[in-house]
Amino acid sequence: MPELPEVEVVRRGLERWIVGRTTAEVAVLHPRAVRRHVAGAADFAARLSGRRVLDARRRGKYLWLPLGDGPSGPASDDGDWALLAHLGMSGQLLVQPADAPDEKHLRVRVGFQDELHTELRFVDQRTFGGLSLHPLTEDGVPDAVAHIARDPLDPEFDEEGFHRALRARRTTVKRALLDQSLISGVGNIYADEALWRTGLHYDRPTAALTRPRVSELLAHVRAVMGEALAVGGTSFDSLYVNVNGESGYFDRSLDAYGREDEPCRRCGTPIRRRPWMNRSSYYCPRCQRPPRVRRPLAAG
DNA sequence: TATCCGACCTGTTGGC
DNA sequence: TGCCAACAGGTCGGAT
């Protein structure tokens, strides 16, 4: 499942293989893949065709390619635009030889005006992800991403502001980690891993977290993401791959996620899995004590 | 206003 | 062998 490290691996691939090239024909093979482009698939293909790719950027799990003018004229008459991508659950951005057979779940194909004979393909089995075109705000971020918080690997991430937000919220720590308007890039896997490393139960109220505890949690979030990035991300199956179609290896290093009934690597207690918000939470019942349940005062 | 939770989507797995 | 339910989970929008 692509979270921040996996998206960063893809961004680096796009930076290497796509930046500087000018797009040619664009084919939308499944309209749902461009559903966030409100003007529709035809407009998406027309606007994207003939544009020079200037850069490959990322915030949290979103990545985008700022577009410049092409031989056919300006990209738009109302400022700078970018191709925005979200991989969702199963999205892949692949750079493939133009004559390679179509993938089973190929949704969008972008050709280029050069002699490299490779094309950019958006492949997505579950179609939770998608591509769209958006104007850039003054911060250089697509307007659709303006509400997304900076991610913990961003040097401008506001740790003090994050702590203040946690103190003010009446929510629990894992919910907060997955709230992309508070901190971006964290998904179910790295949330469970960071909580296990910090020794925090997923249901702990955020308002009770001290400043040092929040710092510790953020340090573990950064560490687990950095380690995953170093080995190409986490992949349980063929659904997450880099632009060359290769999987990462971090799943071999996970301490909590997906390890139900296996011994905790700290204390040996079997890891538990609990249904949580239509998904699962994995935790060590000894290292990560659940919060005490508040009982109402007895009447009389 | 803040928070919660179901829907979206499809391939895989396990039970019957 | 075939059918069905459960499961995976990021994001959005409606409900509370």
Side-chain angles (χ1 to χ4, degrees):
Chain A
M1 315 305 165
E3 299 183 28
L4 188 152
E6 292 74 39
V7 177
E8 174 60 17
V9 169
V10 173
R11 189 202 66 77
R12 292 177 182 182
L14 295 174
E15 188 171 55
R16 178 174 178 186
W17 300 106
I18 298 297
V19 168
R21 302 174 72 182
T22 299
T23 60
E25 71 283 358
V26 175
V28 177
L29 307 175
H30 195 303
R32 188 174 151 79
V34 295
R35 65 192 180 283
R36 294 189 180 97
H37 187 82
V38 291
D43 182 84
F44 174 86
R47 275 184 187 264
L48 180 55
S49 179
R51 306 301 164 204
R52 185 174 162 82
V53 178
L54 302 178
D55 198 1
R57 308 196 61 186
R58 180 189 58 74
R59 175 173 287 186
K61 302 169 200 168
Y62 285 89
L63 56 86
W64 65 92
L65 304 175
L67 302 172
D69 299 347
S72 56
S76 73
D77 52 9
D78 53 352
D80 297 329
W81 283 58
L83 170 62
L84 178 67
H86 196 291
L87 302 180
M89 289 281 295
S90 53
Q92 304 172 353
L93 279 168
L94 304 175
V95 180
Q96 293 281 57
D99 57 359
D102 285 1
E103 291 75 10
K104 183 177 179 183
H105 300 103
L106 177 61
R107 309 303 190 191
V108 179
R109 182 203 317 275
V110 180
F112 292 94
Q113 299 177 15
D114 51 42
E115 304 303 317
L116 296 177
H117 302 296
T118 62
E119 57 188 25
L120 179 64
R121 296 181 179 183
F122 181 67
V123 178
D124 192 1
Q125 174 196 104
R126 298 176 194 168
T127 65
F128 275 40
L131 305 180
S132 49
L133 292 167
H134 298 271
L136 293 172
T137 67
E138 289 182 2
D139 295 336
V141 173
D143 60 358
V145 177
H147 68 291
I148 300 294
R150 290 185 185 274
D151 60 64
L153 300 187
D154 187 327
E156 293 185 45
F157 180 82
D158 181 2
E159 194 164 322
E160 185 60 42
F162 179 62
H163 179 232
R164 278 199 306 273
L166 292 188
R167 298 282 294 185
R169 293 271 180 126
R170 282 177 300 179
T171 189
T172 51
V173 64
K174 187 171 173 182
R175 284 179 189 274
L177 283 177
L178 297 184
D179 185 338
Q180 305 296 302
S181 68
L182 288 177
I183 180 172
S184 67
V186 185
N188 201 41
I189 297 173
Y190 295 121
D192 279 1
E193 290 303 304
L195 289 169
W196 180 86
R197 290 187 181 201
T198 315
L200 269 177
H201 189 274
Y202 58 88
D203 234 2
R204 286 271 173 186
T206 59
L209 293 178
T210 63
R211 181 73 171 80
R213 200 73 167 134
V214 170
S215 287
E216 190 184 353
L217 175 60
L218 283 172
H220 285 304
V221 169
R222 290 187 179 110
V224 71
M225 285 183 165
E227 291 165 27
L229 191 53
V231 293
T234 299
S235 184
F236 292 98
D237 48 34
S238 60
L239 284 185
Y240 160 68
V241 293
N242 65 16
V243 297
N244 298 316
E246 299 156 342
S247 292
Y249 296 102
F250 193 66
D251 57 309
R252 299 172 191 176
S253 307
L254 295 175
D255 290 310
Y257 185 88
R259 298 193 65 241
E260 184 178 19
D261 294 334
E262 293 179 41
C264 169
R265 293 193 173 119
R266 257 193 314 250
C267 72
T269 305
I271 295 289
R272 284 188 187 159
R273 180 179 75 89
R274 286 286 177 271
W276 183 85
M277 285 185 69
N278 292 326
R279 30 185 69 73
S280 294
S281 274
Y282 295 85
Y283 71 104
C284 169
R286 186 172 177 191
C287 300
Q288 299 166 265
R289 298 281 187 188
R292 291 179 198 161
V293 178
R294 286 189 183 174
R295 295 184 180 141
L297 295 172

